[in-house]
Amino acid sequence: MISRLAVSGRQLPSVVTRSLPALTSSFHGGDLLKYRTPCEAQKAAPRGRYLSTVATDESRDLEGSGIKFSSTPSRKYKYFQNVEISPEGVAVIRFDCPKSSVNTISFALKDEAKIMWKTEIEDNENVKAIVFASAKPNMFIAGADIFDIKSIENKQDLVPLIADGLEFFQHMKKKNVPLVAAIDGPALGGGLEWALWCDYRICTDSSKTKLGLPEVKLGLLPGFGGTQNLHKLVGLQAAMDMMLTGKDIRPAKAKKMGLVDLVVTPASLEKVAIDHAAQLANGSLKPKKKKKSLMNKFIEETSPGRNMMWKKVKEMVDKNTNGNYPAPYSIIEAVKYGLDNPSERYKNERELFAKLADTKESEALIGIFDGMTQMKKHSFGADTAIPVNKVAVMGAGLMGAGIAQVSAEKGYSVLLKDKDNAGVSRGLSYMQDNWGKKKKRKRMTEYQYNINNANVTPLTDDVMSWKKHFGQADLVIEAVFEDLELKRKIVADVESLTGDHCVFATNTSAIPIKSIAVGAKRPENIVGMHYFSPVPAMPLLEIIPHEGTSDSAAATAFEVGTKQGKTCILVKDVPGFYVNRCLGPFLVEVSALIRDGAKPEKLDKALKKFGMPVGPITLADEVGIDVTSHVAKFLSNADLGVRMEGGDISLMEKMIDKGWLGKKSGKGFYLYEGKKKVLNPDINGYLKGFVNQDLNLDEKEMQDRLISRFVNEAAKCLEDDIIENPVVGDIGLVFGTGFAPFRGGPFRYIDQIGADNFVSTMNGFADKYGAQFEPCQLLKDHAASGKKFHN
């Protein structure tokens, strides 16, 4: 709950990513993994160790599908359906990657496409035009197969492989017949690049249809001509915006900006595409190029205009990345070089791609994507979870309303209960405002808006039938304030109303689940589901079974969370769980640094430079000084011992007494007036009473002190089996706290700098400041052996 600002698109550098959950659509690999259930690692684990649900890669064919293929007359190709030719001479080529719900571009697909082209198209005089479509519903091409890139040890070997693919596209063009892309569903990364080589693009108005070049989110650039071909359609400014943010473009906007030529309904897509291909072939239809305004002509086609544009683009990248992400700079370089050196533009693009693929930043970002893929499955068994149709949410505050929103959006029937009409009305207004914004931005139709509202039934104590409604619930999620006795009372009330199958989930941010389950009639049905605020924006969900939680209850929570759009990690039932437990020593160290003379604004600047989305002072203000103080105080009285020492958390307690609650009260460390934020003019005077000595700390030492305690606690969680492995630990802190994505998470960060260097830094701080900096034994072991957390 405390980690409010972690990874929503508004907080991460927009030039790198609008939201990390969108990584799932940049390069697709999830459906290519084969999982054990349960995984072998769990079978071999010692009894009593708590295990998460990280799925394991059982076997995978490097071609990308994991299956063998034998050609037959009815299915000649592995990655394509048989080519069909219309009476008008339009060849329809349908992508159809086997045993998968998505199409992805792999090196194997590319090789087969060359064979198919030579066999079916190249010398076939009956082919007058070509339509590229998909045999899968709601799916054009989701992107390139990330495993292809990972499998190449020497990244320079990518250069000739990409060149071979590019030569195929150029060879297609030499057929000199119209090429039409018929897009329904995602056309992302390599999928959009394929469409850019076509002469005409038609997409559907489906809510599943989106177009984009999100390679920047993996620390890469579009490598199949995207940096050179996109701006010819949409202009330099729009192209740079698409490639530097990696954002998705929806159908209406795609048409307006010239990215597609036509938008149609899904049912009519293929027929319209064939008709338009035939018209392009006979000359009755000519593609129309989007006209530029005089201002855009000046900016994009004159030397002074371009110089001004490139200057602004670089300033934006500098501001949003602090120079931590090389990919945006390479994208700029690729486009600029191509404009000045057209004959070498594609060669330069693929060489830049290979260089980026070899960077630690790309390795880290791909590691995050890979981790997300692993978290999509649990290992409790396919039929372990109970079917959930009705979700009841107790408490209609920001957390409860957010949980209700993400549940209703995914088709669950939702009961939202608060004690009175005022409370439940605030919850409904919160959801309706969020849906209204989506509708205004054309991210939601009027129909879906109405469906979402219809999925929510508001209930209060005064509604006589609320108990009857709750009796039909399959899952109840309580989202009331952090009071143990209140939560136990809610458990008792819910158990008296619901069936034996009903799972009870608590959204506590720190209280151990076993404590909440004390006295319960069905403790095996109780599980923790720790959401992060704001729930609709935050991608992480911690699933916390206590020792008596059944596999069925844990699996049910996991599957509901996944359907809600969350990346779920399983965490041992300890105070603070994983994310907030790691934040405890971090928060204490913030107060220790202030005690040693560090200024609030300098602390914020230091952590932002490290790569965090916001600094620790802004984080406390945004979350709420009262909430931050509560978590720090709770963990100080928990089981972390000396690791919660070294600072003075009463600093925030006294701020609460003054009414300085942060952004929500208009005053905390900063003063808030509308969207404006300035340092609280009274804060420095207040903090003087806490300063023991001014050590004139430099930025590097401030960063190292904060991050070392943060990362050490993550390693301690791994040592104590609170999390199962480093992948869970990296995903948890990147998605839960915004830990610098380009560093890949705490464990990849240790691998990058070396465990020996990290331990040496902590030992130095321990000698200088105290035992709170003592590195955990696992880190010492890795330092001594040279072992890494990731292979």
Side-chain angles (χ1 to χ4, degrees):
M1 186 171 177
I2 187 170
S3 310
R4 170 174 183 167
L5 297 181
V7 204
S8 70
R10 294 185 297 278
Q11 283 75 45
L12 282 177
S14 61
V15 74
V16 178
T17 172
R18 286 303 173 97
S19 66
L20 279 171
L23 282 169
T24 54
S25 58
S26 51
F27 282 78
H28 193 91
D31 285 343
L32 305 180
L33 286 173
K34 304 298 175 187
Y35 299 100
R36 294 188 184 101
T37 306
C39 68
E40 295 302 322
Q42 290 184 329
K43 288 181 180 178
R47 184 173 178 83
R49 176 183 174 190
Y50 186 71
L51 294 165
S52 80
T53 60
V54 177
T56 56
D57 187 353
E58 184 175 29
S59 64
R60 196 178 73 83
D61 185 326
L62 285 179
E63 289 185 0
S65 72
I67 67 168
K68 302 298 180 183
F69 176 76
S70 299
S71 178
T72 65
S74 62
R75 178 75 185 222
K76 298 179 184 178
Y77 304 104
K78 184 174 183 177
Y79 299 99
F80 300 89
Q81 287 192 349
N82 289 357
V83 178
E84 295 179 358
I85 301 177
S86 75
E88 300 85 6
V90 178
V92 182
I93 298 174
R94 299 181 184 90
F95 300 100
D96 190 19
C97 291
K99 302 296 181 181
S100 174
S101 61
V102 301
N103 295 316
T104 57
I105 296 179
S106 62
F107 294 140
L109 181 147
K110 176 259 299 179
D111 291 340
E112 189 177 67
K114 290 166 64 177
I115 295 169
M116 178 193 65
W117 188 269
K118 185 172 181 61
T119 305
E120 309 270 358
I121 306 294
E122 189 168 319
D123 298 320
N124 190 340
E125 295 182 358
N126 293 324
V127 174
K128 309 299 182 185
I130 297 161
V131 170
F132 292 104
S134 172
K136 300 182 189 299
N138 302 313
M139 171 54 59
F140 185 64
I141 302 174
D145 181 359
I146 194 63
F147 296 109
D148 272 355
I149 298 171
K150 288 185 67 177
S151 69
I152 305 296
E153 188 169 340
N154 181 354
K155 302 306 181 189
Q156 285 305 307
D157 292 342
L158 288 165
V159 175
L161 289 168
I162 295 171
D164 188 50
L166 202 83
E167 286 168 10
F168 168 68
F169 288 128
Q170 292 170 326
H171 187 69
M172 282 194 325
K173 300 291 283 186
K174 289 179 181 177
K175 173 74 174 174
N176 203 30
V177 298
L179 306 177
V180 176
I183 301 166
D184 181 37
L188 299 170
L192 180 57
E193 288 183 285
W194 193 301
L196 291 176
W197 284 99
C198 294
D199 303 292
Y200 204 83
R201 284 152 296 279
I202 304 172
C203 77
T204 70
D205 57 6
S206 166
S207 61
K208 302 288 181 65
T209 298
K210 52 187 177 182
L211 301 89
L213 295 175
E215 287 85 352
V216 72
K217 297 176 183 179
L218 295 183
L220 300 169
L221 55 69
F224 284 116
T227 65
Q228 309 305 310
N229 297 340
L230 178 62
H231 62 79
K232 294 176 184 177
L233 285 179
V234 302
L236 279 170
Q237 296 169 86
M240 296 310 295
D241 182 49
M242 281 182 64
M243 290 187 289
L244 292 175
T245 63
K247 66 185 178 183
D248 297 334
I249 304 298
R250 298 292 171 173
K253 186 175 180 181
K255 173 68 168 64
K256 185 177 181 181
M257 69 193 295
L259 185 57
V260 300
D261 299 276
L262 192 65
V263 179
V264 299
T265 63
S268 62
L269 174 64
E270 196 165 291
K271 181 181 184 304
V272 172
I274 292 170
D275 289 345
H276 279 64
Q279 292 172 39
L280 288 165
N282 64 32
S284 61
L285 175 66
K286 302 286 185 184
K288 293 181 181 178
K289 191 172 182 180
K290 185 177 182 291
K291 292 183 179 180
K292 291 183 181 179
S293 67
L294 289 175
M295 178 61 75
N296 284 343
K297 280 187 177 181
F298 168 76
I299 292 172
E300 298 182 7
E301 297 178 9
T302 70
S303 181
R306 280 187 182 175
N307 288 339
M308 179 179 69
M309 181 192 72
W310 292 126
K311 181 175 181 290
K312 291 293 184 184
V313 168
K314 185 177 183 301
E315 286 174 358
M316 180 193 73
V317 173
D318 290 341
K319 179 181 178 182
N320 288 331
T321 70
N322 285 316
N324 291 324
Y325 295 80
Y329 297 97
S330 293
I331 290 171
I332 295 170
E333 181 184 345
V335 177
K336 291 177 72 174
Y337 185 93
L339 292 169
D340 295 335
N341 305 274
S343 64
E344 296 289 314
R345 63 189 187 275
Y346 296 121
K347 178 175 180 291
N348 181 65
E349 178 190 71
R350 58 182 172 264
E351 288 174 351
L352 287 172
F353 182 96
K355 287 180 182 177
L356 287 173
D358 203 29
T359 61
K360 65 182 187 297
E361 291 84 3
S362 180
E363 180 185 27
L365 292 167
I366 289 173
I368 294 170
F369 166 80
D370 202 4
M372 287 176 60
T373 302
Q374 293 184 41
M375 303 299 147
K376 289 180 179 178
K377 301 282 184 178
H378 66 70
S379 51
F380 294 112
D383 300 319
T384 307
I386 67 166
V388 174
N389 296 308
K390 185 161 289 190
V391 176
V393 181
M394 297 283 281
L398 286 178
M399 293 300 293
I403 295 166
Q405 177 182 325
V406 298
S407 302
E409 287 175 352
K410 299 303 179 180
Y412 286 115
S413 175
V414 178
L415 307 174
L416 180 61
K417 183 183 180 296
D418 211 305
K419 61 181 181 179
D420 53 34
N421 283 326
V424 80
S425 295
R426 282 192 294 269
L428 291 172
S429 294
Y430 174 84
M431 290 186 285
Q432 289 163 356
D433 287 348
N434 287 339
W435 289 330
K437 289 172 185 175
K438 286 186 178 183
K439 190 172 65 168
K440 186 176 181 180
R441 294 170 185 161
K442 300 190 183 302
R443 294 295 179 90
M444 181 179 289
T445 63
E446 183 74 31
Y447 173 78
Q448 190 59 52
Y449 175 87
N450 292 333
I451 289 292
N452 291 345
N453 275 291
N455 283 340
V456 181
T457 302
L459 299 169
T460 68
D461 289 346
D462 294 333
V463 175
M464 299 298 293
S465 61
W466 81 262
K467 294 181 180 180
K468 183 178 179 180
H469 280 291
F470 263 64
Q472 300 169 352
D474 304 303
L475 170 67
V476 176
I477 305 173
E478 69 83 6
V480 302
F481 56 88
E482 295 287 83
D483 181 288
L484 178 57
E485 292 307 316
L486 175 61
K487 290 179 185 290
R488 286 177 177 170
K489 181 179 184 304
I490 290 174
V491 169
D493 290 345
V494 167
E495 285 185 326
S496 70
L497 300 173
T498 56
D500 290 346
H501 75 291
C502 183
V503 174
F504 181 93
T506 172
N507 180 48
T508 178
S509 58
I511 300 172
I513 310 305
K514 65 181 179 183
S515 298
I516 296 172
V518 169
K521 292 179 182 177
R522 299 187 291 272
E524 70 277 7
N525 287 5
I526 297 176
V527 64
M529 292 180 74
H530 178 211
Y531 294 83
F532 293 79
S533 181
V535 176
M538 293 296 293
L540 187 70
L541 174 61
E542 289 181 318
I543 307 292
I544 311 105
H546 64 90
E547 290 178 355
T549 299
S550 68
D551 285 355
S552 176
T556 300
F558 192 102
E559 291 187 12
V560 169
T562 300
K563 185 174 177 180
Q564 289 171 336
K566 304 304 176 187
T567 295
C568 300
I569 62 172
L570 267 84
V571 180
K572 190 175 182 179
D573 185 23
V574 295
F577 314 130
Y578 174 57
V579 173
N580 283 351
R581 193 174 178 89
C582 292
L583 280 168
F586 174 86
L587 293 171
V588 171
E589 191 58 26
V590 172
S591 67
L593 283 161
I594 289 174
R595 182 200 59 197
D596 289 341
K599 302 295 184 186
E601 63 273 30
K602 288 189 175 181
L603 283 173
D604 270 355
K605 184 179 178 182
L607 263 288
K608 286 199 72 176
K609 274 199 173 181
F610 178 82
M612 304 296 272
V614 296
I617 303 301
T618 296
L619 175 65
D621 264 9
E622 292 280 359
V623 171
I625 302 298
D626 52 342
V627 177
T628 307
S629 176
H630 171 79
V631 171
K633 188 174 181 180
F634 178 86
L635 291 175
S636 293
N637 295 324
D639 59 347
L640 281 78
V642 70
R643 302 195 307 281
M644 283 297 292
E645 294 179 4
D648 184 357
I649 61 172
S650 69
L651 181 152
M652 288 182 286
E653 292 179 19
K654 293 177 181 177
M655 289 177 69
I656 297 170
D657 294 338
K658 290 175 174 288
W660 297 355
L661 303 184
K663 190 174 182 180
K664 61 187 175 185
S665 68
K667 192 173 187 178
F669 287 100
Y670 292 98
L671 197 63
Y672 299 87
E673 295 176 358
K675 293 184 179 180
K676 192 176 178 182
K677 181 183 85 171
V678 296
L679 192 69
N680 179 352
D682 300 321
I683 198 68
N684 283 329
Y686 168 71
L687 294 178
K688 279 183 181 179
F690 288 88
V691 176
N692 290 344
Q693 54 186 337
D694 190 346
L695 298 180
N696 291 313
L697 299 168
D698 62 26
E699 187 172 82
K700 180 70 164 57
E701 180 155 341
M702 287 189 284
Q703 289 175 345
D704 287 347
R705 282 177 59 174
L706 282 168
I707 296 302
S708 65
R709 294 192 68 176
F710 197 23
V711 171
N712 182 59
E713 194 58 41
K716 181 63 175 169
C717 285
L718 181 59
E719 179 183 306
D720 292 344
D721 297 326
I722 293 168
I723 52 172
E724 183 176 354
N725 60 37
V727 176
V728 175
D730 285 340
I731 291 295
L733 289 198
V734 170
F735 284 6
T737 73
F739 190 96
F742 71 93
R743 300 184 189 275
F747 296 99
R748 286 193 183 274
Y749 171 63
I750 294 169
D751 286 350
Q752 286 174 5
I753 66 172
D756 54 345
N757 293 324
F758 188 84
V759 166
S760 177
T761 297
M762 290 207 74
N763 283 335
F765 286 152
D767 293 340
K768 187 175 181 180
Y769 297 113
Q772 67 271 19
F773 281 99
E774 178 77 17
C776 71
Q777 189 60 47
L778 182 62
L779 285 175
K780 293 177 183 179
D781 292 344
H782 276 62
S785 66
K787 183 180 178 182
K788 290 193 171 187
F789 288 102
H790 295 278
N791 295 327

